[in-house]
Amino acid sequence: MENILTDENGDYGLEYTNAVWASDRMHQDYHDSKVPLTDADFLLEDTASIMVIEYKNANTRKARDAGFKTPPFNPMDDRKFASIIRKFYDSLHYLHLLGKNKPVKYIYVVETTNGDETMRKRLRNKMKTLLPFELQKKINTGVMLIDRVDVLSLEEWNKHDEYGKYPFVKIEQKDFY
């Protein structure tokens, strides 16, 4: 599909027609280069900033089917949480190599059973403690590694004044059974 970055399960895509630049190549570039770095799912650039976007959706058919074999996805789980934090730090290398020097926003779009606004706010607040906000203040050189962090549902993303310009859309899939 043109101007759509598709999630790893092929269920949703991020429409980026209005972006200055967009990419979902970080995973493949890291893999091809054999570097042990983790990657966020999507990168979007608008006129003012770079958005590093991590997307997790436990409400898709594929994720529900996998749930029969593994415990249900819990974004507050310490290991899952640590991997989300690491993805931000590891993505900075990629942005640096691309010469992307605009303010960075890290957005975690998460859909999960029993996920609500309160859970997403708790998750955002927990993320803020491990992302480099305090380090930036302590060193105080004016160099910024991160400008803001948000944790949103798909609906909140699509309704957001800024992020909604790049909507998540359901990818139509044909069943061949």
Side-chain angles (χ1 to χ4, degrees):
M1 298 177 101
E2 196 170 327
N3 293 336
I4 300 276
L5 302 173
T6 305
D7 79 321
E8 61 195 17
N9 295 319
D11 291 317
Y12 280 86
L14 188 62
E15 199 284 319
Y16 65 91
T17 301
N18 295 317
V20 171
W21 171 82
S23 178
D24 60 359
R25 296 253 339 131
M26 190 179 348
H27 175 81
Q28 193 61 50
D29 289 342
Y30 280 179
H31 177 77
D32 292 348
S33 302
K34 297 177 178 47
V35 293
L37 298 173
T38 60
D39 58 276
D41 294 310
F42 309 115
L43 299 170
L44 284 177
E45 180 179 3
D46 65 14
T47 56
S49 64
I50 303 290
M51 291 167 257
V52 176
I53 303 156
E54 179 61 19
Y55 167 76
K56 294 285 183 227
N57 191 339
N59 294 332
T60 65
R61 185 176 68 184
K62 186 175 181 181
R64 284 190 302 271
D65 290 348
F68 291 114
K69 300 173 200 146
T70 60
F73 172 69
N74 175 5
M76 298 298 281
D77 174 78
D78 288 341
R79 286 184 57 201
K80 296 286 184 197
F81 180 78
S83 80
I84 296 304
I85 297 300
R86 183 172 177 205
K87 287 177 184 232
F88 169 79
Y89 285 104
D90 285 359
S91 297
L92 292 178
H93 303 293
Y94 197 77
L95 294 173
H96 179 72
L97 289 171
L98 291 173
K100 302 292 183 184
N101 296 316
K102 292 179 180 176
V104 175
K105 297 176 183 179
Y106 189 36
I107 306 114
Y108 186 21
V109 179
V110 61
E111 288 287 328
T112 184
T113 309
N114 302 325
D116 61 8
E117 187 176 349
T118 301
M119 182 274 304
R120 289 186 294 279
K121 283 183 180 177
R122 283 184 27 236
L123 189 56
R124 183 202 62 216
N125 291 342
K126 187 176 177 182
M127 289 173 72
K128 277 185 172 180
T129 66
L130 295 178
L131 293 169
F133 292 104
E134 287 302 314
L135 180 62
Q136 290 171 164
K137 278 199 265 187
K138 180 174 179 46
I139 294 176
N140 196 23
T141 62
V143 175
M144 302 283 289
L145 296 173
I146 188 167
D147 185 55
R148 95 182 262 145
V149 61
D150 287 308
V151 178
L152 306 168
S153 68
L154 281 172
E155 181 180 359
E156 289 167 333
W157 170 279
N158 284 343
K159 288 182 176 180
H160 194 275
D161 289 342
E162 180 182 353
Y163 310 144
K165 296 174 191 172
Y166 318 100
F168 273 95
V169 295
K170 179 89 171 119
I171 304 294
E172 295 298 321
Q173 295 187 357
K174 308 230 187 288
D175 289 327
F176 296 103
Y177 298 107

